[in-house]
Every structure is written in structure tokens, then in C-alpha cells.
């Protein structure tokens, strides 16, 4: 039996889904689920659905609820804990949201996207014209750069099948002038900013170099898991930049502007900035500040179950192309986990599991680490890249969970 991937991901190429209706997708999906419900097949575990007689062993280190002020300020940060995660794609209504300014509810018929600045031929498109362009899909796991930066923020991640039209051909049609070095994406949301004594209204904005912006996986996205992009996720159009942290995926897009200097707006240069204190060879301690951009290698242990005395550890890994995942129980050796789901999707999280046969009663720790295809290992919390960090962004250190058996 093969997983129901045929309808799923066609990153980089125009979708093969165009000829398959949403109804086909639902029917095929539900038939498969019905078949699974009757069996205790390995696929069952891949979906993270608990099988007959399999019980969740709760973690001792559950995330606390986020402060009300954080939810008011940023939106639904997703307080559901990892044990409740049961599907590989995150339903839209369970997907976290983070919004730094207001949350505009835009009318499709009044909306336009303008592409201007240092281009030969400025372009203005309405939603119909965007929909009429070639369709492309990607399954991409979007994580906020602040996820795991606080003990109450551990659900700032979700996996969805995004559809839209590729960005690169539109930029090429506009014709980027020689002097252009940065592509700035502006949202329709705006807030008050102050630099020195200058008060101003600013739209949310992020930029990418020309080369980054032209990456073939980047989408002007209008669809999330088969539905029109929900308002909180950026209706009618957002940037989906596979391989980047959430902040780069600008919602409620209204303008794309090519400029001749690196953009230094709040979310590039002042806020989403990782600050470290790093020693140099001469012994000097240097403060560094780097923009939060491309996603980093990460994994979590999501849940532990027990069935007939055998424990099973489930988890996820993402951020970079994953080669393998390893798990350490207490101070034992690193053991190879089995990747069950998602390996064929470059930009989506992988679901993995490890059977833990000799679990003895008592308290235990479980740590996971992901290894990417280049052999890079997800850093331990004590490694300088994590330990020297002074801001909470890019918290991709190895996560240790605690559990009591028996
Ligand atoms: N216009 C706009 N786009 C935005 C943001 C925002 O505040 N305004 N927040 C960013 C951040 S920090 C994250 S983590 C993601 C969250 O996307 P989601 O709300 O669809 O989950 O959107 C990004 N895009
Ligand atoms: Mo974010």
C-alpha cells in the first residue's frame, strides 16, 4: 500500500492536480481513511492516528498557556499541544496565526497587486488575472521564527498545501533593472512605527535579494489546503517562500517593489534579528545581529504512546532537507528513528517514530535531533550557536521532553 501522495505535492512544476477536482481528492482521501480504520497497518502510525489499545503517555513538561497579552497582540498562537497533532497536513482552522499589525479583511474586487520600482514594465494585476496565470502547488511547513522561543510558544508551526502562481515569471515579465538589488514585499496591514523622533505609518514589509526572490518554489499564493486563503492567513494573496521562516511569507500582499539598497524596515533589520555575543579568535566578544531568514534544521518529540507494553515515540523534523532523525533516551546512545511520512516533499516536515521496547518505570528524558542531507546536525542547546543567542528567534536547539513511565 502506498500513501495517498498522488494528489499531494508538485513543487517546482506546474501542478498535475489541475485535472483532478477537489471532490476526487476528498473521495480518494476518505476511502483511504476508511481502509485504515479497519487495519492496524504501519500507515496508521504514519497518519499519527492512535490504533486500538494504543494510549498516549502524557509529557511532564506541557507548555503553559500563552499570556493573554501575547494572544491579543499576535493572534492565535496555537496553544494545542503536540500530542493533539494527528494529521500530516494541518487543517486551516488549527493553523497558528501571527500578525504584528491589524488584520485587514480585504475585498477581492477592490484589491490589486502592483509590481513597480526598478522594473522596465510596472505591472498591476487583479485577483482574476492572478488566478488566470499558471497554477503551482507546494506542501510547505511554515514555522514562526519565534517558535520555541518561549515555553508557552511551541505550536507556531503548521503544514499546508499552498497553491498560487509562481513569482519568478512575473518578476521576469516586469524586467528587473540592473540597479535593482532587493525585492520588497508589502502587506496591506499597517502600524505605527517610530525611529528617532520620526513617527510614521508602515505597512508590514520584508525583502529578499533578486536571486532569492526568483527561487522557482516561491508562490503568489491564493489557496491553502484547497480553500481560498482564509483572511487571517492573508486573503486574497500572500507570498509563500518555501524554506523560509514564517516572517518572510508576507500576507495581504499589495505591492512588490524593486529597490537599489538593502531594505531596512522593522521586520528585516530591527525586530526579527538574532543577536549573539560571540567570541573571536583574539578573545574579543563581539555582538552580532543577523536578520531572521531561511528556516533552520529542527525536530521535536511530539508524543509517546504505549500498546501491549511497547512504547512508541513520535515526532517531526523540518527546516532543511532531512537525511535522518535520531533519538536519545536519558543518557543512552543516539538511535535512528524511522521516517514515515513526508520524505518526498522537499519543504514539508517529516513524521518519524521510534519503538522503545525496554522502557522501565520511572522518569525519563527524550531528546531528538535532525541531520540534514549535508550532514549538519541540529545543534544541542549548549552549543555556542544556541547558547550565545540573546534574542529568542531561531530557537532550533535540540528539545528534551520529560515523561514518567509506569
Ligand atoms: N502582512 C503580514 N504578513 C505577515 C505577518 C504580518 O504581521 N503581516 N506576520 C508574519 C509572521 S511573523 C509569521 S510567523 C507568518 C504567520 O503566518 P500565518 O498567520 O498564516 O500562520 O506570517 C508572516 N507574514
Ligand atoms: Mo513569526
Amino acid at each position: 500500500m502506498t500513501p495517498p501522495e498522488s494528489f499531494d505535492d508538485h513543487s517546482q512544476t506546474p501542478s498535475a492536480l489541475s485535472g483532478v477536482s477537489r471532490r476526487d481528492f476528498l473521495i480518494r482521501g476518505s476511502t483511504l481513511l476508511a481502509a485504515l480504520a479497519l487495519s492496524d497497518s504501519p500507515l496508521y502510525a504514519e497518519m499519527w492516528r492512535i490504533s486500538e489499545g494504543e494510549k498516549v503517555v502524557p509529557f511532564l513538561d506541557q507548555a503553559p498557556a500563552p499570556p493573554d497579552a501575547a494572544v491579543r497582540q499576535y493572534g492565535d498562537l496555537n496553544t494545542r499541544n503536540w500530542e493533539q497533532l494527528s494529521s500530516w497536513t494541518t487543517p486551516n482552522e488549527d493553523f497558528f496565526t501571527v500578525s504584528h499589525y491589524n488584520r485587514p479583511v480585504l475585498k477581492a474586487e477592490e484589491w490589486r497587486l502592483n509590481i513597480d520600482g526598478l522594473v522596465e514594465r510596472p505591472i498591476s494585476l487583479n485577483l482574476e488575472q492572478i488566478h488566470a496565470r499558471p497554477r503551482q502547488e507546494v506542501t510547505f511547513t511554515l514555522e514562526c521564527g519565534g517558535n520555541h522561543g518561549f515555553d508557552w510558544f511551541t505550536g507556531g508551526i503548521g503544514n499546508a498545501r499552498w497553491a498560487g502562481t509562481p513569482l519568478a515569471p512575473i518578476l521576469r515579465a516586469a524586467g528587473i533593472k540592473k540597479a535593482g538589488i532587493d525585492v520588497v514585499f508589502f502587506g496591506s496591514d499597517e502600524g505605527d512605527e517610530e525611529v528617532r523622533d520620526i513617527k510614521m505609518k508602515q505597512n508590514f514589509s520584508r525583502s529578499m535579494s533578486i536571486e532569492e526572490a526568483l527561487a522557482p518554489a516561491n508562490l503568489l499564493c491564493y489557496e491553502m489546503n484547497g480553500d481560498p486563503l482564509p483572511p487571517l492567513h492573508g486573503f486574497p494573496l500572500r507570498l509563500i517562500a518555501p524554506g523560509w521562516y514564517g516572517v518572510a511569507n508576507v500576507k495581504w500582499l499589495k505591492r512588490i517593489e524593486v529597490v537599489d539598497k538593502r531594505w531596512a524596515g522593522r521586520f528585516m533589520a530591527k525586530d526579527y534579528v538574532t543577536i549573539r555575543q560571540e567570541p573571536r579568535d583574539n578573545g574579543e566578544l563581539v555582538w552580532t545581529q543577523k536578520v531572521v531568514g531561511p528556516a533552520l534544521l529542527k525536530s521535536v518529540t511530539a508524543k509517546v504512546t504505549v500498546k501491549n507494553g511497547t512504547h512508541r515515540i513520535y515526532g517531526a523534523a523540518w527546516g532543511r532537507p532531512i537525511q535522518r532523525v535520531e533519538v536519545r533516551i536519558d543518557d543512552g546512545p543516539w538511535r535512528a528513528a524511522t521516517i514515515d511520512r513526508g520524505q518526498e516533499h522537499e519543504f514539508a516536515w517529516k513524521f518519524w517514530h521510534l519503538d522503545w521496547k525496554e522502557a522501565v518505570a520511572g522518569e525519563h528524558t527524550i531528546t531528538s535531533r535532525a541531520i540534514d542531507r549535508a550532514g549538519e546536525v541540529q545543534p544541542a542547546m549548549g552549543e555556542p550557536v544556541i547558547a550565545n543567542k540573546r534574542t529568542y528567534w531561531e530557537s532550533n536547539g535540540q528539545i528534551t521532553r520529560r515523561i514518567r513511565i509506569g
Side-chain angles (χ1 to χ4, degrees):
M1 195 157 41
T2 50
E5 296 300 355
S6 50
F7 49 79
D8 214 318
D9 192 36
H10 307 280
S11 56
Q12 319 265 340
T13 55
S15 171
L17 183 64
S18 338
V20 181
S21 73
R22 164 113 179 113
R23 216 173 131 256
D24 287 341
F25 160 62
L26 285 173
I27 289 168
R28 289 159 67 192
S30 62
T31 309
L32 185 98
L33 286 182
L36 285 171
L38 299 173
S39 70
D40 192 8
S41 75
L43 247 185
Y44 208 71
E46 288 171 25
M47 311 293 275
W48 276 10
R49 304 170 99 244
I50 296 294
S51 67
E52 183 85 33
E54 187 178 3
K55 282 208 301 267
V56 173
V57 185
F59 289 114
L60 300 174
D61 58 348
Q62 297 293 357
D68 288 346
V71 175
R72 267 197 309 278
Q73 192 175 349
Y74 298 117
D76 181 2
L77 296 164
N78 191 344
T79 53
R80 285 167 287 277
N81 60 32
W82 280 89
E83 282 136 307
Q84 286 164 302
L85 180 61
S86 61
S87 62
W88 185 70
T89 44
T90 313
N92 291 356
E93 57 278 14
D94 292 343
F95 209 100
F96 83 99
T97 71
V98 170
S99 305
H100 292 271
Y101 293 148
N102 61 322
R103 287 141 216 179
V105 179
L106 303 175
K107 290 204 175 78
E109 50 302 350
E110 289 165 13
W111 175 91
R112 292 192 82 81
L113 174 69
N114 292 312
I115 295 137
D116 53 28
L118 294 171
V119 295
E120 304 289 349
R121 294 165 294 276
I123 295 178
S124 178
L125 295 167
N126 64 26
L127 194 58
E128 227 173 293
Q129 290 166 317
I130 299 245
H131 280 227
R133 296 186 64 87
R135 182 186 163 93
Q136 182 169 302
E137 299 186 0
V138 64
T139 302
F140 163 49
T141 301
L142 186 147
E143 183 188 25
C144 175
N147 195 35
H148 287 102
F150 301 101
D151 57 356
W152 47 263
F153 190 31
T154 62
I157 183 167
N159 184 42
R161 194 163 44 92
W162 311 91
T165 193
L167 170 66
I170 297 183
L171 290 177
R172 290 210 173 90
I176 295 172
K177 288 187 177 168
K178 271 225 164 63
I181 66 155
D182 220 20
V183 183
V184 194
F185 300 87
F186 292 93
S188 307
D189 51 335
E190 64 170 25
D192 296 312
E193 296 296 344
E194 188 176 336
V195 175
R196 296 239 162 174
D197 55 355
I198 301 163
K199 294 187 172 55
M200 57 197 147
K201 292 268 184 217
Q202 288 268 342
N203 290 115
F204 183 92
S205 64
R206 278 281 303 196
S207 80
M208 284 181 168
S209 71
I210 308 287
E211 194 193 349
E212 289 162 350
L214 290 175
N218 289 342
L219 293 184
L220 296 177
C221 164
Y222 45 71
E223 219 179 87
M224 182 177 182
N225 289 323
D227 286 330
L229 205 56
L232 283 173
H233 296 287
F235 180 87
L237 197 75
R238 79 180 299 173
L239 178 65
I240 280 295
W244 289 71
Y245 272 119
V247 68
N249 296 257
V250 179
K251 303 190 278 190
W252 308 295
L253 269 180
K254 73 168 188 188
R255 197 152 60 90
I256 301 175
E257 191 176 327
V258 180
V259 296
D260 65 355
K261 301 248 173 18
R262 294 313 304 266
W263 189 247
R266 170 176 158 197
F267 299 96
M268 290 301 289
K270 301 178 184 79
D271 185 341
Y272 272 71
V273 173
T274 293
I275 297 177
R276 291 191 183 84
Q277 218 180 356
E278 296 174 358
R280 291 292 179 255
D281 288 346
N282 65 0
E284 189 187 355
L285 273 183
V286 176
W287 287 95
T288 63
Q289 306 184 50
K290 289 180 191 152
V291 57
V292 174
L296 297 182
L297 184 62
K298 192 161 164 184
S299 68
V300 295
T301 299
K303 73 175 154 197
V304 176
T305 63
V306 60
K307 182 180 177 177
N308 302 330
T310 293
H311 289 79
R312 178 170 278 198
I313 301 167
Y314 295 89
W318 65 90
R320 292 281 160 94
I322 302 295
Q323 182 200 110
R324 60 182 204 278
V325 176
E326 296 176 341
V327 179
R328 177 153 75 169
I329 296 156
D330 302 324
D331 295 325
W334 288 101
R335 312 182 199 187
T338 303
I339 293 177
D340 302 305
R341 188 82 209 266
Q343 193 59 317
E344 65 286 19
H345 299 271
E346 183 178 355
F347 299 110
W349 59 15
K350 311 326 174 209
F351 276 7
W352 51 263
H353 82 271
L354 178 80
D355 283 332
W356 177 19
K357 299 212 169 80
E358 72 298 348
V360 293
E363 265 191 48
H364 299 280
T365 61
I366 300 170
T367 306
S368 66
R369 65 180 188 189
I371 294 115
D372 75 9
R373 291 213 200 111
E376 286 290 317
V377 181
Q378 182 188 352
M381 290 291 186
E383 283 177 44
V385 67
I386 302 295
N388 292 339
K389 226 153 51 69
R390 296 293 175 269
T391 44
Y392 62 86
W393 308 112
E394 301 186 294
S395 293
N396 73 317
Q398 292 167 20
I399 292 164
T400 297
R401 309 232 40 191
R402 291 186 303 112
I403 204 159
R404 184 181 298 114
I405 303 289

